[in-house]
Amino acid sequence: MRASLPFMNSLVFFEASARLRSFTKAAEELYITQSAVSKKIKLLEESLGFELFIREPRRLILTPAGKEFYIETKSVLSQMSDSINRIRRDADPDMVTITCTQAVSHFWLFPRITRFNLQHPDIAINIYSSNDLDENTCAQFDLGILNGPISKSEKWDSYLNNHLLFRERIYPICHRDYPIDRLLMPEEIVNEKLIHLDPSAWRWPTWVNWFASFGIEFNIPRNAQLFNQVTLALEASRQGMGVSLGWDFMTEEMLRRNEMKRVSNMFYEPDMADFLVYRKSKELSLAAKIFRDWLLTDIAENT
């Protein structure tokens, strides 16, 4: 491999030069001289057998081959960086990594980590939030919180341990001072000012699904106010802008503090839940086991 890829040590120089469109700026970023960067790129081009840049007096322009090579270089360096960070995380016995969606991390997990840290101050819990999670993504971390069908959670059994954390329960919610003075039926809520989640950017239930669960056909109006994240929709509702959908795990604290109120006693409970998952092929560290056991106990005691 070393013989076929003699230019590997030049990729960092190329990536910086291509991104900044300048040998001088790349040199400043890498803390070396401009001539050293220029020489590295020249040697790289000779090794590859094609030119990467068109050199103009004030800027660099990527050649078609350079553009293609830049895309591949970014991918390689990104994968290498991710691997190094993952290995570094695994090597720290007092660090636990967990991945989950942005809403779960913000509304559900973070308050629990705060309580956990009071009891276990020597264990660091690092959260990596993303709405693009799947089984493979979760397997790159110590623990993951994965959303999926309750009836099909066994599909993970072959390679992921999984523990049910909470089921999805969705109901309308608004600011406590919003001008609704009684609990409404679904057919009445249709006429309220609704805050919508953009179905093109949000892959979980929307008002369309909520109303459909009660046999009501509903379409999002063309002039509807749309948000691509539930955190934004809830904040809009908290600011008194209208009625939004609230997931039980997100809104329990808002209701308890009397910041928000339910608009209806009716709720939609799809066949979905969030599960704590982790690889079967690798034993959890002691710190991860402590956090897992604490989390499951906390849920059992507070459910």
Side-chain angles (χ1 to χ4, degrees):
M1 183 179 293
R2 183 176 179 181
S4 61
L5 301 174
F7 50 80
M8 286 297 291
N9 64 346
S10 298
L11 292 184
V12 172
F13 299 93
F14 168 66
E15 188 278 333
S17 300
R19 172 167 43 85
L20 299 171
R21 298 292 196 270
S22 167
F23 291 153
T24 301
K25 291 179 179 179
E28 292 173 355
E29 181 177 285
L30 299 171
Y31 298 101
I32 59 174
T33 65
Q34 187 270 352
S35 61
V37 174
S38 180
K39 183 177 180 180
K40 283 283 187 181
I41 300 302
K42 185 64 176 176
L43 291 173
L44 176 59
E45 289 176 322
E46 291 175 356
S47 176
L48 292 170
F50 53 80
E51 290 189 346
L52 298 168
F53 295 106
I54 298 172
R55 293 156 172 82
E56 293 192 346
R58 295 182 178 272
R59 62 172 180 164
L60 297 173
I61 299 175
L62 284 166
T63 63
K67 290 179 181 179
E68 185 175 349
F69 190 65
Y70 179 49
I71 293 172
E72 297 297 331
T73 298
K74 284 197 300 181
S75 177
V76 168
L77 294 178
S78 177
Q79 290 179 31
M80 182 65 69
S81 177
D82 291 344
S83 297
I84 290 171
N85 289 333
R86 176 178 52 78
I87 295 168
R88 188 176 288 156
R89 292 194 302 262
D90 291 344
D92 191 334
D94 295 322
M95 181 182 295
V96 180
T97 60
I98 183 167
T99 186
C100 56
T101 63
Q102 295 170 5
V104 170
S105 65
H106 182 79
F107 293 108
W108 189 87
L109 184 59
F110 193 82
R112 286 168 172 80
I113 289 178
T114 301
R115 298 202 301 271
F116 175 80
N117 283 339
L118 293 176
Q119 300 177 30
H120 302 277
D122 296 332
I123 297 177
I125 309 296
N126 293 341
I127 305 175
Y128 296 83
S129 65
S130 170
N131 286 344
D132 296 319
L133 293 182
D134 57 22
E135 301 93 313
N136 294 327
T137 305
C138 289
Q140 297 174 26
F141 298 85
D142 294 321
L143 303 166
I145 298 178
L146 192 58
N147 181 265
I150 299 171
S151 58
K152 296 182 179 179
S153 62
E154 67 272 10
K155 69 178 181 177
W156 303 324
D157 283 349
S158 62
Y159 54 99
L160 288 177
N161 293 297
N162 62 87
H163 306 274
L164 177 65
L165 296 178
F166 54 85
R167 298 171 182 264
E168 284 196 1
R169 177 178 287 191
I170 309 167
Y171 43 74
I173 193 169
C174 67
H175 187 267
R176 64 180 183 180
D177 295 328
Y178 193 77
I180 294 177
D181 56 8
R182 63 182 177 85
L183 295 173
L184 304 179
M185 296 300 291
E187 56 268 23
E188 297 175 291
I189 298 172
V190 171
N191 299 316
E192 293 294 328
K193 180 175 172 53
L194 303 180
I195 296 171
H196 293 274
L197 290 159
D198 185 351
S200 68
W202 176 256
R203 60 187 177 90
W204 288 278
T206 66
W207 280 113
V208 174
N209 307 100
W210 196 87
F211 283 119
S213 70
F214 301 103
I216 300 173
E217 185 176 349
F218 178 81
N219 294 307
I220 298 176
R222 289 184 178 180
N223 62 343
Q225 191 167 22
L226 298 175
F227 294 92
N228 70 331
Q229 293 293 335
V230 71
T231 49
L232 299 175
L234 280 176
E235 181 59 22
S237 183
R238 198 176 71 84
Q239 294 292 335
M241 296 171 61
V243 179
S244 67
L245 289 175
W247 275 250
D248 203 25
F249 76 89
M250 303 181 202
T251 60
E252 56 183 350
E253 280 299 306
M254 298 180 191
L255 294 172
R256 186 184 64 80
R257 294 193 300 262
N258 198 32
E259 295 176 356
M260 307 281 279
K261 64 184 179 184
R262 289 184 62 165
V263 174
S264 174
N265 277 336
M266 308 293 284
F267 59 85
Y268 170 43
E269 193 170 47
D271 179 41
M272 300 292 286
D274 280 57
F275 299 83
L276 182 70
V277 300
Y278 49 95
R279 287 170 290 176
K280 287 187 172 182
S281 61
K282 181 180 179 182
E283 185 176 359
L284 290 176
S285 66
L286 177 60
K289 289 179 181 178
I290 291 172
F291 179 64
R292 174 202 62 188
D293 295 344
W294 181 92
L295 189 61
L296 295 177
T297 299
D298 180 75
I299 293 168
E301 292 177 348
N302 293 284
T303 301

